[in-house]
Amino acid sequence: MLRAHLAGAVPIRRAAIKSLATYVPPRLLTNADLEKMVDTTDEWILQRTGIRERHIVDPGVATSDLAKEAALEAIRRAGLTPADIDLIVVGTVTPDMFFPSTACLVQDKIGATRAWGFDVSAACSAFTYALTVGSQMVAAGVAQHVLVIGADVMSSIIDYTDRATCVLFGDGAGAVVLGVSDDPSIGILDFEHQVDGSGGPSLCMPAGGSKRPASHDTVEQRLHYVKQDGQSVFKFAVRKTGDICERILQRNNVTAAELDLFVSHQANKRIIMSAAERIGIPEEKVIINIDRFGNTTAATIPLALNDAVMTGRLKKGDLILLASVGAGFTVGSVLVRWGI
Ligand code: UT7
């Protein structure tokens, strides 16, 4: 596949991340809390997933509310105002409602008076996909500043009587502002994505869409909650995270040793470490923060990036690999030279 940055002769207009900000709701749901709600233990959750606690919204707080907080701070950190944003791309699987899109709600809440926008539905790959869409818009020269958000209120679609899923997820949001890179070696270098729709039944919310509209029956059967076949998703995620990362590294002639950081979607610590081992990335180059946030779906990668920045593990000029696998199945990877 010919990529714009590989074409050589044409001057490169590359998108770069100009700022990053995240937001999680203050309320904590700990493993000890879950022990009182379902038949589980702190030990099981920690050993099988790496999660200790997650943040959960109060009733009435929606995805656009979390997205707004992250977005306004990201815009401020970029030295811009909301009126400078041309496009808003929101990755989410828990929009406030079917329509209008969360991007429209965020546009209004932050006062991005010049922006257009839309949502990207790719579950746990929503941030890598939204980042790709936004960066291509900047690279194509049709947008100067794109606000890319990954935000989810997973607690709104989790069955807190189902121990197989309720221990896994949390709520959160992350936003980046993309702009034109001053230096073509810095920014979004490449992406590699795939979907495999045959995996759909392994992780889905069965009702509430056009196939099974909400009814007394669907509510009684608890079909408006996340249903997951954990083991098959686990196996797919380990294999595909490795595959997609090897492909993007190979195409860009980058070795695992040249990477400064591996920033994966945070669904399970064991998935991340197995994939890192397969690719040949040592533990000290892997960001893990699932212990504090759980799986926040579209928000995990910006939350992980933020932790990396705050702890001094991610610096200007670092070469980093983002990776995601999620419901769909969706698979994504983005190679980035960090520029802030
Ligand atoms: O981001 C979206 C993508 N999602 C993922 O990537 C998630 C992928 N899957 C996973 O992370 C793991 O499969 C889980 C964490 C969901 C489950 O871990 P596992 O090691 O695959 O456990 P399992 O489903 O094989 O269950 C093992 C045992 C079962 O008991 P038996 O049949 O051996 O008696 C389960 O009933 O653990 C039991 N179990 C629990 N026990 C205590 C399942 N959930 C729990 C729980 N607490 N919360």
Side-chain angles (χ1 to χ4, degrees), residues 34 38-45 47-51 123-125 154 162-169 202-203 226 228-238 265-271 290 295-297 300 325-327 329:
L34 285 159
V38 288
D39 179 17
T40 192
T41 60
D42 172 52
E43 190 191 6
W44 189 96
I45 302 171
Q47 273 182 7
R48 301 284 180 127
T49 70
I51 303 168
C124 299
S125 295
M154 293 306 292
D162 174 13
R163 71 174 184 176
T165 51
C166 75
V167 301
L168 304 174
F169 295 93
S202 298
L203 179 50
V226 170
Q228 174 169 250
D229 171 2
Q231 283 195 10
S232 64
V233 180
F234 187 95
K235 285 179 198 149
F236 184 86
V238 170
H265 168 56
Q266 312 272 312
N268 187 317
K269 187 178 176 185
R270 289 185 293 141
I271 295 176
I290 192 172
N295 181 351
T296 54
T297 304
T300 59
V325 171
F329 293 127

